[in-house]
Amino acid sequence: FARVSGMEPAWFSFNSKGACPACRGKGYITTELAFLDDVSTPCDECEGQRFNETALSVKIDGRTIADVLRMTADDVAELFADDPQITGAMSWLGRVGLGYTAVGQSLDTFSGGEKQRLLLAKHLSGVSDFSVERIVLDEPTTGLHPSDVDRINTLFKDLVDAGATLVVVEHNLRVI
């Protein structure tokens, strides 16, 4: 978005210049009630999109930064098919089994296993030579559906075939 608009990248971060001034980039307003639970409502100014008008005025193929952050990894890879850095990172999200998540999903909404797979995808997207890679994983399949365990096993096999060294501490017999 910064490259297309010529603006600083900070304009496309809800933690920086691009943040909605009313909700400070959270997308919601929290009302504290003395003896009751707090109530969160979508921000009236940004309508929950987290960005200010300047950031939302820039569009790529008719989509704002807020639209892109709500998309899945596969959809983002398709939108930015001409950018190998973006498509590479998005393909790793799919390979670790997180293709269903929105790329802008808040980390506090991920389970422990999802966070671990997200860190793995982030790490692997920056690796160019797997023959020198050493990866240590502790219980990477905790809470995963059996089909996701199979996906992770396939990924582990592919990494080892590419020359990576994996140390996996696991109790799941499907992995062992």
Side-chain angles (χ1 to χ4, degrees):
F1 281 86
R3 203 174 338 158
V4 167
S5 67
M7 297 165 61
E8 293 177 56
W11 281 104
F12 304 100
S13 170
F14 51 76
N15 293 322
S16 191
K17 285 184 177 182
C20 168
C23 66
R24 297 187 185 144
K26 291 182 182 177
Y28 59 88
I29 304 291
T30 301
T31 305
E32 295 178 16
L33 302 173
F35 297 104
L36 301 172
D37 290 336
D38 295 345
V39 175
S40 296
T41 55
C43 176
D44 289 333
E45 191 165 325
C46 69
E47 297 176 349
Q49 295 188 78
R50 305 169 84 169
F51 292 92
N52 61 36
E53 289 182 26
T54 304
L56 293 173
S57 68
V58 179
K59 295 185 179 185
I60 295 177
D61 286 346
R63 293 179 179 91
T64 66
I65 185 69
D67 296 333
V68 171
L69 291 177
R70 285 190 297 268
M71 295 169 72
T72 65
D74 292 339
D75 294 336
V76 170
E78 186 178 319
L79 179 64
F80 296 101
D82 59 339
D83 189 325
Q85 187 176 6
I86 293 174
T87 56
M90 296 302 110
S91 73
W92 281 112
L93 284 173
R95 289 190 69 188
V96 299
L98 294 177
Y100 61 89
T101 61
V103 295
Q105 185 172 329
S106 178
L107 287 177
D108 63 354
T109 64
F110 281 86
S111 70
E114 287 172 325
K115 286 179 187 173
Q116 192 170 18
R117 289 184 288 153
L118 182 63
L119 288 172
L120 180 62
K122 179 184 178 195
H123 176 75
L124 294 175
S125 71
V127 173
S128 59
D129 182 9
F130 287 104
S131 65
V132 297
E133 264 319 283
R134 285 182 222 102
I135 302 169
V136 179
L137 297 165
D138 182 22
E139 302 281 351
T141 63
T142 300
L144 292 186
H145 186 275
S147 65
D148 287 325
V149 172
D150 292 342
R151 179 189 306 255
I152 289 292
N153 279 336
T154 301
L155 174 63
F156 291 168
K157 180 188 177 310
D158 292 346
L159 290 171
V160 170
D161 289 348
T165 300
L166 290 175
V167 177
V168 181
V169 178
E170 182 63 73
H171 290 90
N172 187 325
L173 293 177
R174 291 174 80 111
V175 177
I176 295 171

PDB file of all heavy atoms in Angstrom, residues 31-55:
ATOM      1  N   THR A  31     -16.307   0.528  27.126  1.00  0.00           N
ATOM      2  CA  THR A  31     -16.947   1.328  28.169  1.00  0.00           C
ATOM      3  C   THR A  31     -16.827   0.557  29.479  1.00  0.00           C
ATOM      4  O   THR A  31     -17.309  -0.578  29.575  1.00  0.00           O
ATOM      5  CB  THR A  31     -18.432   1.580  27.845  1.00  0.00           C
ATOM      6  OG1 THR A  31     -18.521   2.173  26.548  1.00  0.00           O
ATOM      7  CG2 THR A  31     -19.073   2.486  28.872  1.00  0.00           C
ATOM      8  N   GLU A  32     -16.161   1.170  30.436  1.00  0.00           N
ATOM      9  CA  GLU A  32     -15.992   0.517  31.727  1.00  0.00           C
ATOM     10  C   GLU A  32     -17.213   0.802  32.603  1.00  0.00           C
ATOM     11  O   GLU A  32     -17.597   1.955  32.784  1.00  0.00           O
ATOM     12  CB  GLU A  32     -14.725   1.015  32.407  1.00  0.00           C
ATOM     13  CG  GLU A  32     -13.473   0.642  31.646  1.00  0.00           C
ATOM     14  CD  GLU A  32     -12.199   1.168  32.288  1.00  0.00           C
ATOM     15  OE1 GLU A  32     -12.229   1.561  33.481  1.00  0.00           O
ATOM     16  OE2 GLU A  32     -11.178   1.184  31.591  1.00  0.00           O
ATOM     17  N   LEU A  33     -17.797  -0.260  33.099  1.00  0.00           N
ATOM     18  CA  LEU A  33     -18.956  -0.150  33.978  1.00  0.00           C
ATOM     19  C   LEU A  33     -18.518  -0.592  35.374  1.00  0.00           C
ATOM     20  O   LEU A  33     -18.001  -1.695  35.546  1.00  0.00           O
ATOM     21  CB  LEU A  33     -20.100  -1.016  33.457  1.00  0.00           C
ATOM     22  CG  LEU A  33     -20.552  -0.689  32.027  1.00  0.00           C
ATOM     23  CD1 LEU A  33     -21.560  -1.713  31.550  1.00  0.00           C
ATOM     24  CD2 LEU A  33     -21.134   0.706  31.957  1.00  0.00           C
ATOM     25  N   ALA A  34     -18.732   0.249  36.337  1.00  0.00           N
ATOM     26  CA  ALA A  34     -18.177   0.086  37.684  1.00  0.00           C
ATOM     27  C   ALA A  34     -18.227  -1.333  38.230  1.00  0.00           C
ATOM     28  O   ALA A  34     -17.194  -1.927  38.504  1.00  0.00           O
ATOM     29  CB  ALA A  34     -18.861   1.054  38.636  1.00  0.00           C
ATOM     30  N   PHE A  35     -19.397  -1.888  38.412  1.00  0.00           N
ATOM     31  CA  PHE A  35     -19.505  -3.193  39.038  1.00  0.00           C
ATOM     32  C   PHE A  35     -19.956  -4.283  38.073  1.00  0.00           C
ATOM     33  O   PHE A  35     -20.282  -5.389  38.497  1.00  0.00           O
ATOM     34  CB  PHE A  35     -20.472  -3.115  40.239  1.00  0.00           C
ATOM     35  CG  PHE A  35     -19.970  -2.191  41.305  1.00  0.00           C
ATOM     36  CD1 PHE A  35     -20.529  -0.934  41.466  1.00  0.00           C
ATOM     37  CD2 PHE A  35     -18.915  -2.567  42.117  1.00  0.00           C
ATOM     38  CE1 PHE A  35     -20.057  -0.072  42.432  1.00  0.00           C
ATOM     39  CE2 PHE A  35     -18.428  -1.715  43.091  1.00  0.00           C
ATOM     40  CZ  PHE A  35     -18.996  -0.457  43.253  1.00  0.00           C
ATOM     41  N   LEU A  36     -19.952  -3.968  36.797  1.00  0.00           N
ATOM     42  CA  LEU A  36     -20.335  -4.923  35.768  1.00  0.00           C
ATOM     43  C   LEU A  36     -19.153  -5.148  34.838  1.00  0.00           C
ATOM     44  O   LEU A  36     -18.158  -4.432  34.895  1.00  0.00           O
ATOM     45  CB  LEU A  36     -21.534  -4.392  34.976  1.00  0.00           C
ATOM     46  CG  LEU A  36     -22.803  -4.104  35.788  1.00  0.00           C
ATOM     47  CD1 LEU A  36     -23.827  -3.404  34.914  1.00  0.00           C
ATOM     48  CD2 LEU A  36     -23.367  -5.393  36.353  1.00  0.00           C
ATOM     49  N   ASP A  37     -19.273  -6.127  33.960  1.00  0.00           N
ATOM     50  CA  ASP A  37     -18.231  -6.351  32.969  1.00  0.00           C
ATOM     51  C   ASP A  37     -18.164  -5.174  32.006  1.00  0.00           C
ATOM     52  O   ASP A  37     -19.178  -4.531  31.716  1.00  0.00           O
ATOM     53  CB  ASP A  37     -18.521  -7.628  32.167  1.00  0.00           C
ATOM     54  CG  ASP A  37     -18.344  -8.892  32.997  1.00  0.00           C
ATOM     55  OD1 ASP A  37     -17.590  -8.846  34.000  1.00  0.00           O
ATOM     56  OD2 ASP A  37     -18.954  -9.915  32.640  1.00  0.00           O
ATOM     57  N   ASP A  38     -16.956  -4.911  31.502  1.00  0.00           N
ATOM     58  CA  ASP A  38     -16.790  -3.867  30.498  1.00  0.00           C
ATOM     59  C   ASP A  38     -17.576  -4.236  29.243  1.00  0.00           C
ATOM     60  O   ASP A  38     -17.770  -5.416  28.944  1.00  0.00           O
ATOM     61  CB  ASP A  38     -15.313  -3.707  30.126  1.00  0.00           C
ATOM     62  CG  ASP A  38     -14.470  -3.199  31.290  1.00  0.00           C
ATOM     63  OD1 ASP A  38     -15.051  -2.721  32.272  1.00  0.00           O
ATOM     64  OD2 ASP A  38     -13.242  -3.277  31.186  1.00  0.00           O
ATOM     65  N   VAL A  39     -18.010  -3.217  28.509  1.00  0.00           N
ATOM     66  CA  VAL A  39     -18.759  -3.431  27.273  1.00  0.00           C
ATOM     67  C   VAL A  39     -17.943  -2.848  26.121  1.00  0.00           C
ATOM     68  O   VAL A  39     -17.524  -1.693  26.166  1.00  0.00           O
ATOM     69  CB  VAL A  39     -20.146  -2.739  27.336  1.00  0.00           C
ATOM     70  CG1 VAL A  39     -20.866  -2.871  26.007  1.00  0.00           C
ATOM     71  CG2 VAL A  39     -20.974  -3.326  28.451  1.00  0.00           C
ATOM     72  N   SER A  40     -17.693  -3.662  25.091  1.00  0.00           N
ATOM     73  CA  SER A  40     -16.975  -3.201  23.912  1.00  0.00           C
ATOM     74  C   SER A  40     -17.940  -3.094  22.750  1.00  0.00           C
ATOM     75  O   SER A  40     -18.705  -4.023  22.474  1.00  0.00           O
ATOM     76  CB  SER A  40     -15.854  -4.175  23.549  1.00  0.00           C
ATOM     77  OG  SER A  40     -14.889  -4.210  24.570  1.00  0.00           O
ATOM     78  N   THR A  41     -17.898  -1.956  22.066  1.00  0.00           N
ATOM     79  CA  THR A  41     -18.742  -1.735  20.899  1.00  0.00           C
ATOM     80  C   THR A  41     -17.874  -1.281  19.737  1.00  0.00           C
ATOM     81  O   THR A  41     -16.844  -0.636  19.943  1.00  0.00           O
ATOM     82  CB  THR A  41     -19.814  -0.657  21.176  1.00  0.00           C
ATOM     83  OG1 THR A  41     -19.155   0.534  21.617  1.00  0.00           O
ATOM     84  CG2 THR A  41     -20.791  -1.115  22.241  1.00  0.00           C
ATOM     85  N   PRO A  42     -18.253  -1.631  18.507  1.00  0.00           N
ATOM     86  CA  PRO A  42     -17.460  -1.189  17.355  1.00  0.00           C
ATOM     87  C   PRO A  42     -17.336   0.334  17.333  1.00  0.00           C
ATOM     88  O   PRO A  42     -18.268   1.052  17.684  1.00  0.00           O
ATOM     89  CB  PRO A  42     -18.261  -1.691  16.143  1.00  0.00           C
ATOM     90  CG  PRO A  42     -19.083  -2.816  16.678  1.00  0.00           C
ATOM     91  CD  PRO A  42     -19.394  -2.456  18.101  1.00  0.00           C
ATOM     92  N   CYS A  43     -16.179   0.796  16.931  1.00  0.00           N
ATOM     93  CA  CYS A  43     -15.914   2.230  16.850  1.00  0.00           C
ATOM     94  C   CYS A  43     -16.844   2.865  15.818  1.00  0.00           C
ATOM     95  O   CYS A  43     -16.963   2.373  14.687  1.00  0.00           O
ATOM     96  CB  CYS A  43     -14.458   2.455  16.471  1.00  0.00           C
ATOM     97  SG  CYS A  43     -14.010   4.174  16.211  1.00  0.00           S
ATOM     98  N   ASP A  44     -17.499   3.965  16.201  1.00  0.00           N
ATOM     99  CA  ASP A  44     -18.404   4.661  15.284  1.00  0.00           C
ATOM    100  C   ASP A  44     -17.649   5.363  14.162  1.00  0.00           C
ATOM    101  O   ASP A  44     -18.140   5.464  13.044  1.00  0.00           O
ATOM    102  CB  ASP A  44     -19.245   5.700  16.038  1.00  0.00           C
ATOM    103  CG  ASP A  44     -20.285   5.056  16.934  1.00  0.00           C
ATOM    104  OD1 ASP A  44     -20.705   3.923  16.626  1.00  0.00           O
ATOM    105  OD2 ASP A  44     -20.664   5.673  17.947  1.00  0.00           O
ATOM    106  N   GLU A  45     -16.437   5.823  14.454  1.00  0.00           N
ATOM    107  CA  GLU A  45     -15.692   6.602  13.466  1.00  0.00           C
ATOM    108  C   GLU A  45     -15.131   5.729  12.341  1.00  0.00           C
ATOM    109  O   GLU A  45     -15.247   6.063  11.173  1.00  0.00           O
ATOM    110  CB  GLU A  45     -14.563   7.386  14.144  1.00  0.00           C
ATOM    111  CG  GLU A  45     -13.934   8.402  13.213  1.00  0.00           C
ATOM    112  CD  GLU A  45     -13.083   9.416  13.955  1.00  0.00           C
ATOM    113  OE1 GLU A  45     -13.432   9.788  15.084  1.00  0.00           O
ATOM    114  OE2 GLU A  45     -12.072   9.836  13.381  1.00  0.00           O
ATOM    115  N   CYS A  46     -14.508   4.613  12.691  1.00  0.00           N
ATOM    116  CA  CYS A  46     -13.901   3.757  11.660  1.00  0.00           C
ATOM    117  C   CYS A  46     -14.753   2.525  11.348  1.00  0.00           C
ATOM    118  O   CYS A  46     -14.389   1.731  10.477  1.00  0.00           O
ATOM    119  CB  CYS A  46     -12.495   3.325  12.073  1.00  0.00           C
ATOM    120  SG  CYS A  46     -12.437   2.157  13.466  1.00  0.00           S
ATOM    121  N   GLU A  47     -15.853   2.351  12.061  1.00  0.00           N
ATOM    122  CA  GLU A  47     -16.748   1.207  11.891  1.00  0.00           C
ATOM    123  C   GLU A  47     -16.026  -0.125  12.095  1.00  0.00           C
ATOM    124  O   GLU A  47     -16.273  -1.103  11.395  1.00  0.00           O
ATOM    125  CB  GLU A  47     -17.434   1.266  10.528  1.00  0.00           C
ATOM    126  CG  GLU A  47     -18.318   2.493  10.365  1.00  0.00           C
ATOM    127  CD  GLU A  47     -18.923   2.623   8.985  1.00  0.00           C
ATOM    128  OE1 GLU A  47     -18.501   1.886   8.059  1.00  0.00           O
ATOM    129  OE2 GLU A  47     -19.822   3.459   8.837  1.00  0.00           O
ATOM    130  N   GLY A  48     -15.093  -0.137  13.046  1.00  0.00           N
ATOM    131  CA  GLY A  48     -14.367  -1.354  13.377  1.00  0.00           C
ATOM    132  C   GLY A  48     -13.211  -1.688  12.459  1.00  0.00           C
ATOM    133  O   GLY A  48     -12.572  -2.718  12.612  1.00  0.00           O
ATOM    134  N   GLN A  49     -12.895  -0.803  11.506  1.00  0.00           N
ATOM    135  CA  GLN A  49     -11.835  -1.106  10.548  1.00  0.00           C
ATOM    136  C   GLN A  49     -10.436  -0.788  11.065  1.00  0.00           C
ATOM    137  O   GLN A  49      -9.456  -1.154  10.449  1.00  0.00           O
ATOM    138  CB  GLN A  49     -12.092  -0.363   9.234  1.00  0.00           C
ATOM    139  CG  GLN A  49     -13.358  -0.849   8.558  1.00  0.00           C
ATOM    140  CD  GLN A  49     -13.498  -0.257   7.195  1.00  0.00           C
ATOM    141  OE1 GLN A  49     -12.846  -0.704   6.263  1.00  0.00           O
ATOM    142  NE2 GLN A  49     -14.308   0.784   7.093  1.00  0.00           N
ATOM    143  N   ARG A  50     -10.327  -0.046  12.160  1.00  0.00           N
ATOM    144  CA  ARG A  50      -9.083   0.251  12.862  1.00  0.00           C
ATOM    145  C   ARG A  50      -8.229   1.352  12.232  1.00  0.00           C
ATOM    146  O   ARG A  50      -7.274   1.799  12.840  1.00  0.00           O
ATOM    147  CB  ARG A  50      -8.238  -1.011  13.025  1.00  0.00           C
ATOM    148  CG  ARG A  50      -8.995  -2.117  13.706  1.00  0.00           C
ATOM    149  CD  ARG A  50      -8.288  -3.425  13.629  1.00  0.00           C
ATOM    150  NE  ARG A  50      -7.299  -3.519  14.687  1.00  0.00           N
ATOM    151  CZ  ARG A  50      -6.673  -4.625  15.000  1.00  0.00           C
ATOM    152  NH1 ARG A  50      -6.924  -5.723  14.337  1.00  0.00           N
ATOM    153  NH2 ARG A  50      -5.794  -4.642  15.961  1.00  0.00           N
ATOM    154  N   PHE A  51      -8.535   1.763  11.025  1.00  0.00           N
ATOM    155  CA  PHE A  51      -7.713   2.741  10.316  1.00  0.00           C
ATOM    156  C   PHE A  51      -8.412   4.077  10.162  1.00  0.00           C
ATOM    157  O   PHE A  51      -9.641   4.147  10.161  1.00  0.00           O
ATOM    158  CB  PHE A  51      -7.340   2.211   8.926  1.00  0.00           C
ATOM    159  CG  PHE A  51      -6.399   1.035   8.980  1.00  0.00           C
ATOM    160  CD1 PHE A  51      -6.886  -0.256   8.990  1.00  0.00           C
ATOM    161  CD2 PHE A  51      -5.025   1.226   9.028  1.00  0.00           C
ATOM    162  CE1 PHE A  51      -6.033  -1.341   9.047  1.00  0.00           C
ATOM    163  CE2 PHE A  51      -4.164   0.154   9.084  1.00  0.00           C
ATOM    164  CZ  PHE A  51      -4.662  -1.133   9.097  1.00  0.00           C
ATOM    165  N   ASN A  52      -7.606   5.139   9.978  1.00  0.00           N
ATOM    166  CA  ASN A  52      -8.172   6.468   9.736  1.00  0.00           C
ATOM    167  C   ASN A  52      -8.516   6.631   8.257  1.00  0.00           C
ATOM    168  O   ASN A  52      -8.195   5.769   7.429  1.00  0.00           O
ATOM    169  CB  ASN A  52      -7.215   7.562  10.235  1.00  0.00           C
ATOM    170  CG  ASN A  52      -5.872   7.536   9.541  1.00  0.00           C
ATOM    171  OD1 ASN A  52      -5.763   7.243   8.361  1.00  0.00           O
ATOM    172  ND2 ASN A  52      -4.826   7.854  10.286  1.00  0.00           N
ATOM    173  N   GLU A  53      -9.155   7.742   7.925  1.00  0.00           N
ATOM    174  CA  GLU A  53      -9.618   7.974   6.544  1.00  0.00           C
ATOM    175  C   GLU A  53      -8.468   8.032   5.547  1.00  0.00           C
ATOM    176  O   GLU A  53      -8.614   7.593   4.406  1.00  0.00           O
ATOM    177  CB  GLU A  53     -10.435   9.264   6.487  1.00  0.00           C
ATOM    178  CG  GLU A  53     -11.789   9.146   7.151  1.00  0.00           C
ATOM    179  CD  GLU A  53     -12.599  10.432   7.033  1.00  0.00           C
ATOM    180  OE1 GLU A  53     -12.379  11.206   6.084  1.00  0.00           O
ATOM    181  OE2 GLU A  53     -13.466  10.648   7.899  1.00  0.00           O
ATOM    182  N   THR A  54      -7.335   8.585   5.950  1.00  0.00           N
ATOM    183  CA  THR A  54      -6.191   8.681   5.038  1.00  0.00           C
ATOM    184  C   THR A  54      -5.733   7.297   4.608  1.00  0.00           C
ATOM    185  O   THR A  54      -5.526   7.040   3.422  1.00  0.00           O
ATOM    186  CB  THR A  54      -5.027   9.446   5.707  1.00  0.00           C
ATOM    187  OG1 THR A  54      -5.493  10.724   6.132  1.00  0.00           O
ATOM    188  CG2 THR A  54      -3.861   9.615   4.752  1.00  0.00           C
ATOM    189  N   ALA A  55      -5.581   6.404   5.560  1.00  0.00           N
ATOM    190  CA  ALA A  55      -5.145   5.040   5.247  1.00  0.00           C
ATOM    191  C   ALA A  55      -6.198   4.308   4.416  1.00  0.00           C
ATOM    192  O   ALA A  55      -5.860   3.579   3.480  1.00  0.00           O
ATOM    193  CB  ALA A  55      -4.861   4.273   6.532  1.00  0.00           C
TER     194      ALA A  55
END
